[in-house]
């Protein structure tokens, strides 16, 4: 059995530290990139139930989306369909995953439709009218359009955010998710294709949907945890239900209950 795990690339950390030292007004800085890859399972451990990539305290995020805004997301399924997946099914799977996050976070998300993602420095560029860009890549494709550097090796997905730093709290202003279409297509044939819209408690686990929920959690501000019962645990099990755990929900609720910007 092949399960998903995560490799971490501390993209932008040195830039962010420098900005914190010299900034007197709000500035933009790139956040870490979160990458998830295929590997073997590690021993189960139960430590923390939720974590933020930028935290004021263990239970309070420092960087977060404005909870009073509608967060708009768009999906580019071009490379998913090229890999043999059905675009409409993946949109349904994504909508289902985002709805889970919306319920837990208490924030409204709006699907703006299919988009055409543009590449900037091996990650999706921000698009007008879209806050979170969701797209697919293919590490076997040459050129930037495949997001080859981000999806190199066994990496199955990456996610990241950009934020504006301003004093005691920082506002996340945009985010993105890139899924390796080749890996996703390989697993949907044996896991869950087509997408089953029934509640997770009424069907077999859908690990691909769990991967989408995991990566979207990164785009909302969550980091990995060491509690193997949570979606934000760095390995997605083919037997664990694809639902946010109590820690995932607590973290998302904390992100959604902060003061408005």
């Amino acid at each position: 059995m092949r399960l998903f795990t995560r490799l971490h690339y501390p993209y932008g950390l040195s830039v962010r530290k420098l900005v914190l030292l010299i900034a007197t007004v709000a500035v933009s800085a790139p956040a870490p990139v979160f990458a998830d890859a295929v590997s073997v399972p590690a021993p189960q451990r139960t430590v923390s139930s939720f974590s933020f990539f930028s935290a004021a305290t263990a239970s309070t995020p420092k960087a977060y989306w404005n909870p009073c805004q509608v967060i708009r997301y768009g999906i580019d399924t071009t490379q998913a369909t090229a890999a043999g997946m059905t675009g409409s099914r993946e949109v349904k799977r994504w909508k289902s995953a985002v709805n889970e996050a919306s319920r837990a976070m208490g924030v409204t998300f709006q699907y703006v439709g299919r988009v055409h993602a543009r590449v900037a420095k091996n990650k999706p560029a921000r698009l007008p009218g879209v806050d979170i860009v969701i797209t697919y890549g293919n590490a076997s494709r040459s050129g930037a359009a495949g997001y080859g550097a981000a999806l190199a090796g066994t990496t199955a997905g990456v996610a990241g955010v950009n934020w504006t730093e301003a004093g005691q709290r920082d506002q996340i202003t945009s985010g993105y998710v890139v899924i390796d279409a080749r890996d996703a297509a390989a697993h949907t044939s044996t896991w869950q294709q087509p997408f089953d819209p029934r509640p997770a408690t009424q069907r077999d686990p859908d690990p691909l949907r769990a991967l989408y929920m995991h990566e979207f959690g990164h785009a909302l501000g969550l980091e990995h945890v060491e509690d193997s019962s949570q979606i934000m645990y760095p390995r997605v099990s083919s037997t664990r239900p694809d639902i946010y755990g109590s820690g995932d929900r607590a973290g998302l609720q904390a992100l959604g209950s902060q003061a408005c910007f």
Side-chain angles (χ1 to χ4, degrees):
M1 182 182 298
R2 303 176 73 199
L3 307 179
F4 289 99
T5 183
R6 169 186 175 269
L7 304 174
H8 183 68
Y9 301 92
Y11 176 79
L13 290 181
S14 61
V15 175
R16 180 172 180 269
K17 291 177 181 177
L18 178 61
V19 168
L20 286 173
L21 291 173
I22 65 174
T24 56
V25 295
V27 295
S28 294
V33 170
F34 308 98
D36 295 270
V38 177
S39 184
V40 296
Q44 290 191 351
R45 300 173 61 194
T46 300
V47 183
S48 58
S49 59
F50 68 88
S51 179
F52 310 112
F53 81 84
S54 174
T57 69
S59 59
T60 306
K62 186 176 189 295
Y64 55 91
W65 290 89
N66 181 359
C68 297
Q69 77 175 82
V70 174
I71 301 175
R72 303 159 299 179
Y73 70 100
I75 305 174
D76 184 345
T77 60
T78 302
Q79 295 197 54
T81 56
M85 305 176 76
T86 303
S88 60
R89 290 173 180 168
E90 294 317 300
V91 168
K92 288 180 180 179
R93 201 188 311 264
W94 270 112
K95 285 183 175 180
S96 177
V98 172
N99 286 341
E100 290 279 351
S102 178
R103 284 191 288 268
M105 196 173 176
V107 171
T108 301
F109 294 86
Q110 177 186 358
Y111 175 57
V112 299
R114 303 283 187 96
V115 298
H116 179 66
R118 296 183 292 106
V119 183
K121 297 181 179 179
N122 210 48
K123 64 180 181 179
R126 182 167 181 176
L127 299 176
V130 183
D131 300 306
I132 300 178
V133 176
I134 298 170
T135 188
Y136 296 76
N138 190 329
S140 65
R141 283 193 59 183
S142 60
Y147 301 96
L151 298 174
T154 58
T155 302
V158 295
V161 301
N162 291 296
W163 73 84
T164 298
E165 297 183 329
Q168 298 295 315
R169 55 185 185 150
D170 305 329
Q171 182 177 359
I172 298 177
T173 56
S174 64
Y176 66 87
V177 173
V178 182
I179 300 295
D180 191 317
R182 179 186 54 182
D183 286 345
H187 290 99
T188 51
S189 61
T190 56
W191 282 354
Q192 195 78 0
Q193 179 77 343
F195 169 63
D196 188 337
R198 291 178 298 171
T201 55
Q202 299 177 17
R203 55 171 170 74
D204 292 335
D206 182 350
L208 186 59
R209 179 176 179 268
L211 173 65
Y212 292 0
M213 293 169 66
H214 178 102
E215 297 297 344
F216 199 72
H218 283 319
L220 297 179
L222 292 180
E223 246 289 17
H224 282 154
V225 296
E226 298 182 14
D227 181 345
S228 60
S229 67
Q230 309 303 312
I231 283 289
M232 295 312 296
Y233 183 68
R235 294 170 183 84
V236 179
S237 170
S238 60
T239 58
R240 185 172 62 240
D242 47 302
I243 56 176
Y244 283 118
S246 58
D248 301 315
R249 293 194 300 272
L252 289 168
Q253 183 179 35
L255 287 166
S257 62
Q258 301 305 306
C260 299
F261 287 96

